[in-house]
């Protein structure tokens, strides 16, 4: 009952209620889960924008500028989820993204929430998607998610967001390394931030050549002699070629153009059906993740600890392979999944 | 259910640039397993209260070495209360003259620390205040 009134307050725009609910959801409490279920019908309206890229490239500063733009030019309500890593040793974290977002204070149309990754490795926390749902239900039209930015393997953000920005910066020492990391394949829009720094041309050249490898279709277009520039795809083209934007996040240079590309990307995927495909994929993987953890929990609730450990010992002794072990555990427990 | 993490906002109100203490404390709290939101320099009381609200913190830690604590602390307490966060514990560190301590405690400041304060004491007293 108490929680029903909490979700009600969230829907009515109470910020303290929203903040407390975010905590419950982040802690995966049963109240949090119940609230998510109540809020779920109100979700599915927001444009989810992911921002990833190596630490120090200026992600937080860009989020700050983009949000200012959405507030001033479009009067949209913006929620920001900024994820930073938890220490694997102590479980603690220092979450410092707000330092770059001070321009956003004093505006009730903005809500910034810092999140520790809490042991997740894909650049987001386990419950980031759930927090997104809460903000979505609370009526935030734009939700920006800043990832940890550890570099490699941050593909989860592409699964969560409608539009993913990959941020690079010149002179970070090893452009090639960052660009090689496969992260380009998840980019819907590429940003070379710190365009005031030397080396922008090199970074841009490296990005363009990697991009051509990632999007070989572009060459086909060239063979047909179409004058199609990589950063200005034809509006009705079926293929989205990630545009490259140069920005200076400390003073706002290039932000309007970047916001424009983000909007064009959203329009593009709405039109070609990719928006719905991404929603399906996201909800599908959420469903799978919940199912997986629920099945694990049920299994561990039922299996005897001694039995589990005995089988595990067999695996360690190399007497059983993990597959055989699982087979034995599941079949030796006929009540399983009834 | 995941364990409940202690969330702490470490903020530097006022106009001075002494941020070593705030950073030392932020790191020590992280190493004690807490989630520390660090806001950086030159925060107004309004900015601090807003961040505390959005981050749903258990503790607000203020680092003040400018001498302005008697103006800043009551204002921040007042704003937290106005936002419905009177249950948030507020700690202060920095340069706080002895004669100001009773007044600050009276206002509801949960702990006061000066130069050389041990981070172990700080961590223990934050934990105690939360579990009360
Ligand atoms: C280093 C220092 C500087 C450095 C600061 C570098 C930096 N980025 O931090 C520099 C050289 C820049 C500097 C400049 C100035 N300083 Co100075 N500085 C100091 C000094 C010597 C040490 C401060 C320090 O870093 N200590 C190390 C840290 C780890 O200790 P701490 O901050 O005290 O933190 C501990 C506790 O207080 C507590 N704590 C602190 N914060 C928090 C927060 C929480 C939540 C908790 C729980 C605990 C906690 O725990 C920490 C760990 O033990 C002090 C004198 C002193 N002994 O404190 C003067 C001092 C603070 N400075 C002072 C002054 C006046 C200045 C200047 C105005 C001088 C001038 N006229 O230009 C300028 C101001 C510059 C500016 N922009 O604001 C005065 C302040 C006087 C006052 N408040 O009445 C002091 C006290 C010197 C003095 N005796 O006069 N300073
Ligand atoms: N010169 C320059 N510095 C920038 C720019 N954008 C961000 N920075 C600085 O780069 C540092 C890291 O920025 P931050 O936004 O925290 O990066 P993040 O770690 O990717 O979130 C900060 O000191 C910023 O002030 C830019 O466009 N030009
Ligand atoms: Mg950041």
């Amino acid at each position: 009952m108490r929680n029903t009134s909490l979700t009600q307050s969230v829907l009515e725009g109470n910020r303290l209620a929203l903040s407390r609910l975010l905590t419950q959801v982040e802690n995966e409490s049963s109240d949090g889960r119940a609230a998510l279920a109540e809020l779920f019908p109100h979700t599915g309206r927001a444009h989810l924008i992911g921002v990833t890229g190596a630490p120090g490239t200026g992600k937080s500063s860009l989020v700050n500028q983009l949000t200012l733009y959405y507030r001033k030019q479009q009067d949209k309500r913006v929620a920001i989820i900024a994820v930073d890593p938890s220490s694997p040793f102590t479980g603690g974290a220092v979450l410092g993204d707000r330092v770059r977002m001070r321009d956003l204070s004093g505006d009730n149309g903005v809500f910034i929430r810092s999140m520790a990754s809490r042991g997740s490795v894909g650049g987001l926390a386990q419950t980031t998607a759930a927090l997104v749902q809460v903000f979505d239900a609370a009526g935030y039209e734009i939700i920006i998610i800043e990832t940890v930015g550890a570099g490699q393997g941050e593909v989860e953000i592409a699964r969560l967001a409608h539009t993913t920005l990959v941020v690079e910066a010149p002179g970070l020492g090893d452009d090639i390394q960052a660009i090689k990391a496969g992260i380009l394949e998840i980019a819907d829009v590429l940003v070379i931030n710190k365009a005031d720094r030397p080396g922008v041309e090199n970074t841009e050249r490296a990005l363009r050549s990697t991009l051509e490898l990632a999007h070989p279709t572009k060459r086909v277009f060239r063979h047909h002699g179409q004058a199609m520039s990589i950063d200005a795809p034809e509006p009705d083209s079926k293929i989205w070629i990630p545009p490259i934007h140069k920005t200076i996040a400390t003073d706002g240079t290039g932000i309007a153009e970047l916001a424009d590309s983000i909007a064009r990307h959203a329009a593009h995927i709405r039109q070609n059906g990719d928006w719905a495909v991404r929603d399906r994929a996201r909800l599908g993987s959420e469903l799978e993740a919940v199912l997986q953890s629920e099945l694990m929990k049920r299994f561990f609730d039922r299996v005897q600890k001694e039995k589990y450990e005995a089988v595990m010992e067999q695996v360690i002794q190399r007497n059983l392979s993990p597959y055989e072990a699982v087979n034995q555990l599941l079949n030796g427990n006929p009540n399983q999944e009834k | 259910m995941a364990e409940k993490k202690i969330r702490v906002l470490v903020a530097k109100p006022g106009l001075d640039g002494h941020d070593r203490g705030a950073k030392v404390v932020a790191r020590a709290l992280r190493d004690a397993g807490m989630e520390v939101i660090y806001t950086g320099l030159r925060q107004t009381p309004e900015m601090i209260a807003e961040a505390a609200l959005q981050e749903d913190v258990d503790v607000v830690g203020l680092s003040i070495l400018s001498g302005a604590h008697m103006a800043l602390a009551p204002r921040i307490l007042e704003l937290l209360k106005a936002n419905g966060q009177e249950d948030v514990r507020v700690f202060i560190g920095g340069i706080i003259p002895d004669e100001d301590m009773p007044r600050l405690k009276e206002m509801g400041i949960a702990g006061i620390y000066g130069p050389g304060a041990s981070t172990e004491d700080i961590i223990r007293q934050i934990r105690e205040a939360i579990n009360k």
Side-chain angles (χ1 to χ4, degrees):
Chain A
M1 281 306 107
R2 194 180 63 80
N3 236 64
T4 299
S5 65
L6 191 61
T7 49
Q8 200 50 46
S9 304
V10 169
L11 292 172
E12 284 161 10
N14 181 317
R15 289 161 74 80
L16 182 60
L18 172 58
S19 193
R20 296 211 161 134
L21 184 56
L22 290 169
T23 304
Q24 291 187 0
V25 169
E26 186 179 17
N27 289 339
E28 298 179 81
S29 74
S30 48
D31 281 351
R33 289 208 178 150
L36 272 181
E38 280 179 50
L39 291 176
F40 191 69
H42 301 273
T43 63
R45 294 175 296 182
H47 181 193
L48 315 184
I49 302 172
V51 180
T52 187
T57 48
K59 294 181 296 300
S60 301
S61 311
L62 267 175
V63 170
N64 179 54
Q65 288 290 346
L66 271 175
T67 305
L68 283 176
Y69 182 87
Y70 289 131
R71 294 297 300 147
K72 289 190 179 145
Q73 305 300 322
Q74 306 183 351
D75 198 28
K76 287 194 172 136
R77 296 176 69 209
V78 184
I80 297 164
I81 302 176
V83 189
D84 274 324
S86 296
S87 155
F89 304 109
T90 66
V94 174
L95 314 173
D97 295 311
R98 294 187 82 98
V99 173
R100 310 278 165 228
M101 301 183 192
R102 50 183 297 138
D103 298 338
L104 306 177
S105 66
D107 179 354
N108 272 342
V110 177
F111 199 111
I112 308 169
R113 183 67 172 227
S114 311
M115 259 191 123
S117 62
R118 297 193 179 175
S120 270
V121 289
L124 300 176
Q126 184 79 39
T127 55
T128 301
L131 260 62
V132 165
Q133 288 183 356
V134 176
F135 279 126
D136 189 352
Y140 288 87
E141 294 151 288
I142 295 198
I143 302 172
I144 307 181
I145 304 116
E146 177 184 338
T147 73
V148 169
Q152 313 217 356
E154 292 208 340
V155 292
E156 268 179 46
I157 186 60
R159 213 170 298 159
L160 177 60
H162 296 114
T163 305
T164 301
L165 274 51
V166 172
V167 186
E168 300 278 347
L172 267 193
D174 207 351
D175 290 343
I176 311 302
Q177 188 56 30
I179 291 167
K180 225 170 35 184
I183 201 160
L184 282 190
E185 284 162 39
I186 67 170
D188 297 309
V189 179
L190 280 155
V191 184
I192 304 174
N193 187 42
K194 306 199 184 183
D196 53 322
R197 291 275 187 82
V200 193
E201 296 74 22
N202 286 343
T203 309
E204 190 174 356
R205 207 173 311 118
L207 273 179
R208 282 195 197 281
S209 62
T210 321
L211 203 58
E212 277 181 36
L213 293 176
H215 292 266
T217 39
K218 191 188 133 269
R219 272 184 247 149
V220 176
F221 281 110
R222 277 210 181 139
H223 282 307
H224 291 276
Q226 294 191 9
M228 195 167 113
S229 144
I230 201 166
D231 47 10
E234 284 167 8
D236 57 358
S237 142
K238 282 245 165 56
I239 301 153
W240 175 263
I241 295 164
I244 300 179
H245 284 279
K246 285 176 266 185
T247 59
I248 305 175
T250 37
D251 70 7
T253 305
I255 296 301
E257 294 79 359
L258 173 60
D260 190 52
S261 264
I262 294 170
R264 277 195 294 120
H265 179 261
H268 179 90
I269 64 170
R270 274 191 198 276
Q271 197 206 5
N272 75 359
D274 207 26
W275 181 287
V277 170
R278 287 183 193 219
D279 271 346
R280 264 186 93 90
R282 182 178 69 251
L283 291 172
S285 65
E286 264 169 49
L287 188 63
E288 244 172 61
V290 173
L291 184 62
Q292 204 168 44
S293 79
E294 216 37 48
L295 284 176
M296 291 276 278
K297 211 169 92 221
R298 284 197 192 182
F299 171 74
F300 281 110
D301 282 349
R302 285 167 201 211
V303 74
Q304 282 174 321
K305 195 162 175 278
E306 297 74 36
K307 173 162 185 201
Y308 184 79
E309 265 158 21
V311 172
M312 169 108 138
E313 193 52 39
Q314 295 266 13
V315 173
I316 290 162
Q317 299 299 328
R318 299 285 192 284
N319 290 335
L320 278 181
S321 77
Y323 283 105
E324 290 167 315
V326 167
N327 212 348
Q328 215 176 83
L329 283 168
L330 292 180
N331 297 332
N333 197 2
N335 288 336
Q336 186 62 26
E337 299 326 316
K338 265 278 138 67
Chain B
M1 174 180 157
E3 67 177 308
K4 170 88 177 79
K5 287 271 176 202
I6 297 178
R7 281 170 75 85
V8 185
L9 183 76
V10 171
K12 260 212 61 70
L15 300 176
D16 68 297
H18 296 100
D19 61 357
R20 277 194 209 159
K23 286 181 171 164
V24 166
V25 170
R27 241 168 282 142
L29 299 182
R30 175 199 62 192
D31 292 342
M34 301 180 197
E35 291 182 352
V36 180
I37 295 105
Y38 183 68
T39 60
L41 294 170
R42 285 179 257 283
Q43 299 281 306
T44 64
E46 286 75 15
M47 289 162 95
I48 291 169
E50 183 183 42
L53 176 80
Q54 295 178 351
E55 301 290 356
D56 191 22
V57 292
D58 308 292
V59 173
V60 170
L62 305 170
S63 186
I64 311 180
L65 289 80
S66 64
H69 47 276
M70 293 312 278
L72 294 166
R75 180 77 186 125
I76 290 165
L77 288 168
E78 191 182 295
L79 289 166
L80 286 172
K81 201 167 180 185
N83 286 344
Q85 285 192 300
E86 54 279 324
D87 50 342
V88 168
R89 277 39 157 228
V90 181
F91 290 78
I92 299 191
I95 306 293
I96 313 290
D98 289 347
E99 63 263 29
D100 291 340
M101 290 191 185
R103 280 278 297 119
L104 290 169
K105 288 255 166 77
E106 225 171 86
M107 282 174 209
I109 298 296
I112 304 171
Y113 307 89
S118 113
T119 52
E120 273 151 47
D121 287 345
I122 296 172
I123 291 161
R124 185 169 38 78
Q125 283 161 24
I126 286 179
R127 287 203 177 117
E128 280 169 11
I130 298 272
N131 293 328
K132 242 192 278 181

